[in-house]
Amino acid sequence: MRATLAAMLALALTSVPAWGTWFSGTWEGELTLVPSLEFSSFLTLSYAWGGLELRSASELHPVGFIWQEFGLVGAWQGIGLQADLLFGPSTVDYLYGQLILTARVAGLEVELYTAQLSDAVLGGPAKGSAIRVAGNVGGIGFVNVLELGARIEDEEFPGITIYHSATGLSRHYVTNPMVAGAGSTGDKLTLTGLSLCCVEDVKAVFYLAKTGFSYFKVELSGIDFEISPVLTFDIEVVFQVQTKSLVLTPRVNLGKQGCIDLYAAVVTGMAPGELSGLEVYGLGFGCELGAMSLKGLAVLDTGKYAITTEEYGSVIEAVSEAVEQGHEYYPDYWELISIMVEGPACCGEIYSFLANAYFEEGPGKLFGWGMTYLKLVVPLSSKVKLAGEIKVTATGLEKLALGFSLNW
Amino acid sequence: MKVRLGLVGVLAAGLALAMSGCLGQWFRPRPTLIIGDPVISGGTGTVLISVANMPEGGLASIAVETDGMTYDQAKIKDVTITGKSGFVVLASEFDDATGKGRFVLANPTGGCEGGMIAQLDFVVQGDVTSADFAFAEEHIDLGSAADRLVTDWELAVGTPYYAR
């Protein structure tokens, strides 16, 4: 028995290289020691066969098995294929399914999107499709989306996001079947590259809802009236059934002076069209010192702007924009000083060390210090990396975690 | 080539017709205040408060008055609340002696049509479940970004997933 098991184990281990030519994937895990012992993991497996790739993604959280996603990507006979299925293992539920077919026909890009949301998700059940046709005629680009109970993600529409209510974790997809109405629910035609008198690159959008005409919109971006070298305007004219609106949005671009950035925005007054001033809401600097990168950010208007977390790039962003995009930010810190060191490590890989110090408003620790965040990533081989993460605030050690990532 | 074009055209048209024929009509759900299940980690616990399908620009304020929230004070102590997604805590009070809590949150930057708006943190003494928290609709007011009260909304406790 033992000899048989040993032989099977040896066979399995020696055949791993062979399996690696069929299966690929990544496994990322994090063991949190402080504030409490927790383990979370994200495992992705991919199996390639012919022109198709089958993918499995599993996310474990201390609460339990949150997401199990299956995906199929590839092409067959010139038709692109993408399929996604999402399951909630903790409640043994099917949650969402999406199928996207793409093809090139007579110089046009034709795409079919179809999706289904189950009744296990608040907001479901729902199902619908959309057909997208895009092309270019005489330098004018056009995109037409016929909505059959679904809408697809674009500049104006965010797609669908499914949330786990207990943890806040989410999954995002481009096809949203939560559209009221049956059959044809809308049609959106977008034209780009239009010219009008002295203005080039005009964009026009025509939207027909299920009940009839909804709106016609004309957009002109980056108009320079030569008032100031730093001031441009975006103009948007919208025609609706009973109203017409004209929106003039001033934008200021001060550029970069050496290694210093000035973040500014135009302040509009109470009267329509009134530009009352320029608000400098942030300051940043950055430079490279050998293998070290030095970066600093200061938010001068903490009521409307904040510094995003490390996961979202540590940049200054409007709070409203961060909330809309789902970017996490630090509401309590107005200044960041960051040092990043990268260098060669084992096996042709690169190690990295990040140290961020945040400062808060009001009296506190030395210089108003609020938090220090440290992260070290060390590659052990071309396929294995270890990471350590520490977060210390004025109240003490807030987080201590060890992480790993494997890819094969 | 012609065969492929024909195949793609028939496939797309057929799928579109099949989908449109099979489509059931989707009806927008009522605005919903979602209380997530408690997540216990060591000696502390967390409950997320979220919203879905909020009208008129989204939820901009929430007021939970006395008797709007109760909890089992034998198992739950030292409750605090933090605003999320731009929400700011204007006032809050959690009385461990009576097991009652009340709070007011507002979002100065805009409304939230769907997503997390607040997080309750507490110290755990014993086995805490969603039954140890209770929220009463009649003592909760929701305000939209259009400065109007949200009416005809519903409370969902223990709903595992929601979409936006």
Side-chain angles (χ1 to χ4, degrees), chain A residues 36 38 63 66 88 90 105 112 114 122-123 125-129 131 148 160-161 163-168 178-180 323 329, chain B residues 4-5 8 11 15-16 19 22-26 29 32 34 36-37 39 41-42 48 52 85-86 109 159-164:
Chain A
S36 59
E38 296 175 355
V63 169
I66 305 298
S90 60
V105 180
L112 172 67
T114 186
L122 182 67
K127 53 186 174 181
S129 302
I131 300 175
L148 302 168
I160 185 171
T161 302
Y163 294 88
H164 184 252
S165 59
T167 60
M178 296 194 299
V179 175
V323 169
Y329 60 92
Chain B
R4 184 192 298 180
L5 285 176
V8 170
L11 182 64
L15 277 171
M19 288 298 150
C22 292
L23 291 175
Q25 191 166 0
W26 178 78
T32 310
I34 303 165
D37 286 337
V39 175
S41 175
L48 298 183
S85 302
T109 61
T159 298
Y161 302 97
Y162 66 95
R164 172 193 172 190

Side-chain angles (χ1 to χ4, degrees), chain A residues 13-280:
Chain A
L13 288 175
T14 53
S15 64
V16 164
W19 283 63
T21 62
W22 294 349
F23 290 93
S24 63
T26 60
W27 184 23
E28 297 176 352
E30 182 177 271
L31 177 66
T32 302
L33 303 174
V34 175
S36 59
L37 191 63
E38 296 175 355
F39 179 74
S40 61
S41 157
F42 194 88
L43 171 66
T44 305
L45 289 173
S46 298
Y47 175 71
W49 177 67
L52 297 175
E53 181 178 315
L54 180 64
R55 183 177 56 87
S56 164
S58 310
E59 184 165 5
L60 273 76
H61 189 269
V63 169
F65 192 0
I66 305 298
W67 306 113
Q68 174 57 53
E69 184 183 54
F70 294 105
L72 182 65
V73 178
W76 178 74
Q77 295 290 319
I79 299 176
L81 166 71
Q82 178 186 333
D84 300 286
L85 288 175
L86 181 67
F87 296 88
S90 60
T91 54
V92 196
D93 283 315
Y94 159 71
L95 302 178
Y96 175 86
Q98 171 184 254
L99 175 65
I100 302 173
L101 299 174
T102 60
R104 195 157 182 88
V105 180
L108 301 175
E109 292 176 12
V110 181
E111 300 172 353
L112 172 67
Y113 296 76
T114 186
Q116 183 183 54
L117 182 71
S118 86
D119 59 0
V121 180
L122 182 67
K127 53 186 174 181
S129 302
I131 300 175
R132 181 180 184 274
V133 178
N136 190 296
V137 178
I140 297 175
F142 71 90
V143 176
N144 190 78
V145 179
L146 174 63
E147 299 171 356
L148 302 168
R151 297 191 73 176
I152 55 178
E153 184 174 310
D154 60 16
E155 292 177 356
E156 300 172 0
F157 189 71
I160 185 171
T161 302
I162 299 169
Y163 294 88
H164 184 252
S165 59
T167 60
L169 297 173
S170 63
R171 304 294 289 174
H172 181 79
Y173 301 93
V174 299
T175 312
N176 187 343
M178 296 194 299
V179 175
S184 174
T185 52
D187 189 276
K188 184 177 182 182
L189 174 64
T190 304
L191 301 175
T192 55
L194 298 169
S195 297
L196 181 63
C197 300
C198 63
V199 184
E200 295 181 356
D201 200 17
V202 178
K203 178 180 174 182
V205 181
F206 180 85
Y207 186 68
L208 206 62
K210 186 172 179 64
T211 53
F213 170 77
S214 180
Y215 68 82
F216 172 66
K217 179 165 63 176
V218 178
E219 296 178 3
L220 293 76
S221 304
I223 306 299
D224 182 1
F225 293 110
E226 299 185 356
I227 298 173
S228 161
V230 300
L231 198 60
T232 60
F233 292 84
D234 294 342
I235 301 173
E236 181 182 279
V237 183
V238 182
F239 299 84
Q240 294 177 293
V241 175
Q242 294 181 324
T243 61
K244 174 190 167 186
S245 65
L246 187 150
V247 178
L248 188 68
T249 305
R251 301 198 186 280
V252 62
N253 184 3
L254 301 178
K256 192 170 183 177
Q257 295 299 321
C259 59
I260 299 175
D261 276 325
L262 202 62
Y263 298 85
V266 177
V267 180
T268 54
M270 297 297 291
E274 178 184 348
L275 303 182
S276 59
L278 193 68
E279 177 194 20
V280 177

Side-chain angles (χ1 to χ4, degrees), chain B residues 12-143:
Chain B
L15 277 171
L17 288 172
M19 288 298 150
S20 61
C22 292
L23 291 175
Q25 191 166 0
W26 178 78
F27 295 96
R28 181 177 297 278
R30 293 163 63 192
T32 310
L33 179 67
I34 303 165
I35 309 299
D37 286 337
V39 175
I40 309 302
S41 175
T44 59
T46 298
V47 168
L48 298 183
I49 301 174
S50 309
V51 295
N53 306 305
M54 286 292 154
E56 298 182 324
L59 183 78
S61 60
I62 174 173
V64 177
E65 57 191 57
T66 304
D67 295 326
M69 172 189 161
T70 56
Y71 55 94
D72 186 343
Q73 66 267 41
K75 300 181 187 177
I76 298 165
K77 294 190 183 306
D78 299 332
V79 183
T80 58
I81 187 168
T82 308
K84 298 289 185 183
S85 302
F87 277 82
V88 176
V89 179
L90 299 181
S92 66
E93 182 183 44
F94 300 96
D95 187 347
D96 289 347
T98 60
K100 294 185 178 182
R102 52 182 181 168
F103 53 87
V104 178
L105 278 70
N107 189 336
T109 61
C112 178
E113 295 181 348
M116 187 170 37
I117 63 168
Q119 175 176 313
L120 293 169
D121 296 294
F122 47 91
V123 173
V124 174
Q125 296 177 333
D127 184 22
V128 173
T129 67
S130 57
D132 296 312
F133 283 91
F135 285 81
E137 282 183 56
E138 60 272 22
H139 296 289
I140 300 174
D141 290 318
L142 306 180

